[in-house]
Amino acid sequence: MNPNTATTPEELMRSRYAAFERKDFDYLVMTETNPEPMDADTKVWLASLTWCRLEIISAQGQQVEFNAYHLEQGVPYCLHERSDFVQNAQGQWLYDKGEVERIKLTIGRNDPCICQSGKKFKKCCGA
Ligand SMILES: [Zn+2]
């Protein structure tokens, strides 16, 4: 598990996205304000997701708004979230809460890939 060395909410957001990518659930739990062990079903579900791209929309004060593109069973989704972060007594940034909406995307196999590789979806993440 990586240590939490983020110095801004955006940095912590990026490090948490990277933890989703590498299925580092301990890091995700450790970087929340109310660390609760993750249940087995949640871990299985998260492990099944393929993350394609993080797009930071805005980062102001304690809030970060982003889109996280991912695939579930080959189906593309966009997780849109406005997250609030807080600093603990040691000055570490932690994820506090978020307003989340998950949108199923309609992407043709010949459309540009959601990861912005410039390739067609079917030749990239959708392969
Ligand atoms: Zn792709």
Side-chain angles (χ1 to χ4, degrees), residues 21-84:
E21 282 186 317
R22 64 175 191 271
K23 328 284 184 203
D24 185 348
F25 306 124
D26 290 338
Y27 183 82
L28 294 172
V29 169
M30 186 190 83
T31 53
E32 291 180 6
T33 47
N34 296 305
E36 280 174 37
M38 210 178 267
D39 65 71
D41 286 352
T42 304
K43 281 188 188 174
V44 168
W45 180 69
L46 284 175
S48 78
L49 303 180
T50 304
W51 296 90
C52 303
R53 182 164 64 97
L54 173 67
E55 174 185 38
I56 303 282
I57 299 167
S58 70
Q60 288 180 343
Q62 312 213 134
Q63 205 174 61
V64 180
E65 184 179 358
F66 63 91
N67 287 323
Y69 296 91
H70 61 283
L71 301 173
E72 180 178 358
Q73 314 287 341
V75 178
Y77 286 87
C78 176
L79 178 92
H80 175 247
E81 181 166 342
R82 219 171 276 121
S83 304
D84 289 314

Side-chain angles (χ1 to χ4, degrees), residues 76-107:
Y77 286 87
C78 176
L79 178 92
H80 175 247
E81 181 166 342
R82 219 171 276 121
S83 304
D84 289 314
F85 296 85
V86 295
Q87 264 175 313
N88 66 11
Q90 290 77 46
Q92 270 186 323
W93 284 101
L94 299 170
Y95 173 83
D96 189 32
K97 58 187 185 318
E99 238 176 79
V100 182
E101 83 188 297
R102 192 162 169 258
I103 306 148
K104 191 174 173 177
L105 302 174
T106 309
I107 296 177

